[in-house]
Amino acid sequence: MVACALMHTVRNLAKALETHREEAIHGHPIKSYVQNIVYGGNDGVVTTFAVVAGTVGAEFPHAVIIVLGLANLLADGLSMATGAYLSLHAQRDTFERLRKEELQEIEDDPEIEREEVRQAFLQKGFTGEDLERVVATITANKNRWADVMMCEEHGMTRQYTANPVVHGISTFMAFVIFGSIPLIPYLFGIALSWRFPVAIVSTGIALILLGITRSTLTRERRIRGAMEVFLVGALSAAVAYGVGVLLHGFLGLAA
């Protein structure tokens, strides 16, 4: 009876853990892709709306808004995507180089490397037999040993340096999708007097949704996160609009 009850408990715990892993985003590989979507989308909607606001402030023709907006959308989106790819690719190369060095150090001076493991877990509170058991388990396998040293000594894991191409693509797609929101009123023939107001409202909604997503990801207060993203975007837009107005006045005087 006791054995059956124990097996039942283990099964329940296994199911609960599986559910937890599916629901919880922290520590999950998808977390890094969600970050790409949030920050790529935020940058896309803010920079594109800044272009729209600046050109409206300068009273340029709406055709100019479309041209500049689309140019910004594709050029900046590609720049962000390649930046994310190159950054992660460099991190992956660094990870592989350092891991090879760790494996070589394990071969050349295993006692020093073993002592590094011991000191790392001593600082975590392991002592006595528990500490020696942990050290023996880790150092029994050189690959496991190197992975632990990468985490403890360099703060790096293979998981967060993987798939640089996917990170780049997800960043680009988020930038383009969210960045196109301020341009929608100008692309689909909404009445002239409504285009900029609709762009303002739709951009504000997009920023709030991105802020809520970021707060959910970071476990912050959702209202505060949404307001932070919204206010930063509003500030950028206000600056762009003000610069446009000033340049329009200057160009008008110059003419």
Side-chain angles (χ1 to χ4, degrees):
M1 293 292 292
V2 174
C4 290
L6 181 60
M7 289 179 64
H8 182 70
T9 302
V10 169
R11 289 197 196 98
N12 287 340
L13 285 173
K15 290 179 180 178
L17 177 60
E18 184 178 353
T19 301
H20 173 72
R21 285 174 173 171
E22 290 175 354
E23 294 177 349
I25 196 169
H26 60 279
H28 195 281
I30 197 175
K31 179 179 178 180
S32 57
Y33 298 117
V34 174
Q35 288 176 332
N36 289 335
I37 293 170
V38 170
Y39 295 116
N42 180 74
D43 195 67
V45 72
V46 168
T47 56
T48 306
F49 185 75
V51 170
V52 172
T55 51
V56 169
E59 297 184 14
F60 289 155
H62 285 193
V64 174
I65 295 175
I66 295 173
V67 171
L68 292 180
L70 290 176
N72 168 81
L73 199 63
L74 296 176
D76 279 6
L78 186 60
S79 176
M80 277 200 70
T82 54
Y85 168 80
L86 292 173
S87 175
L88 201 60
H89 197 280
Q91 291 181 37
R92 187 177 66 179
D93 290 344
T94 301
F95 176 89
E96 295 298 339
R97 176 180 60 80
L98 291 174
R99 192 174 186 278
K100 287 180 181 178
E101 291 178 1
E102 288 294 338
L103 284 169
Q104 190 61 49
E105 289 174 359
I106 290 170
E107 288 287 343
D108 295 342
D109 206 341
E111 291 306 318
I112 294 296
E113 295 300 305
R114 187 174 288 106
E115 183 60 25
E116 284 186 343
V117 174
R118 183 177 289 107
Q119 291 299 320
F121 282 85
L122 181 63
Q123 292 177 7
K124 296 178 185 295
F126 289 85
T127 58
E129 292 182 2
D130 289 338
L131 175 61
E132 296 306 319
R133 190 177 298 111
V134 168
V135 173
T137 300
I138 290 172
T139 57
N141 182 286
K142 290 181 180 180
N143 284 320
R144 179 170 60 228
W145 190 348
D147 288 337
V148 169
M149 292 306 301
M150 286 299 299
C151 182
E152 296 297 329
E153 190 172 351
H154 303 288
M156 300 179 71
T157 63
R158 191 184 300 277
Q159 174 183 337
Y160 290 102
T161 61
N163 301 320
V165 173
V166 179
H167 281 274
I169 292 173
S170 62
T171 299
F172 178 77
M173 294 301 296
F175 189 99
V176 170
I177 291 171
F178 282 93
S180 65
I181 290 174
L183 293 175
I184 290 175
Y186 297 90
L187 293 172
F188 291 97
I190 295 176
L192 289 177
S193 60
W194 282 98
R195 290 181 183 180
F196 192 49
V198 170
I200 293 174
V201 172
S202 59
T203 298
I205 293 173
L207 287 171
I208 290 172
L209 290 176
L210 285 168
I212 292 173
T213 303
R214 191 196 70 171
S215 297
T216 302
L217 179 67
T218 59
R219 300 297 194 270
E220 296 176 356
R221 295 179 180 177
R222 293 184 180 180
I223 294 178
R224 187 182 70 178
M227 290 304 298
E228 284 179 352
V229 173
F230 177 80
L231 290 175
V232 169
L235 178 61
S236 300
V239 170
Y241 184 80
V243 170
V245 171
L246 290 174
L247 287 177
H248 174 71
F250 174 76
L251 292 173
L253 290 173

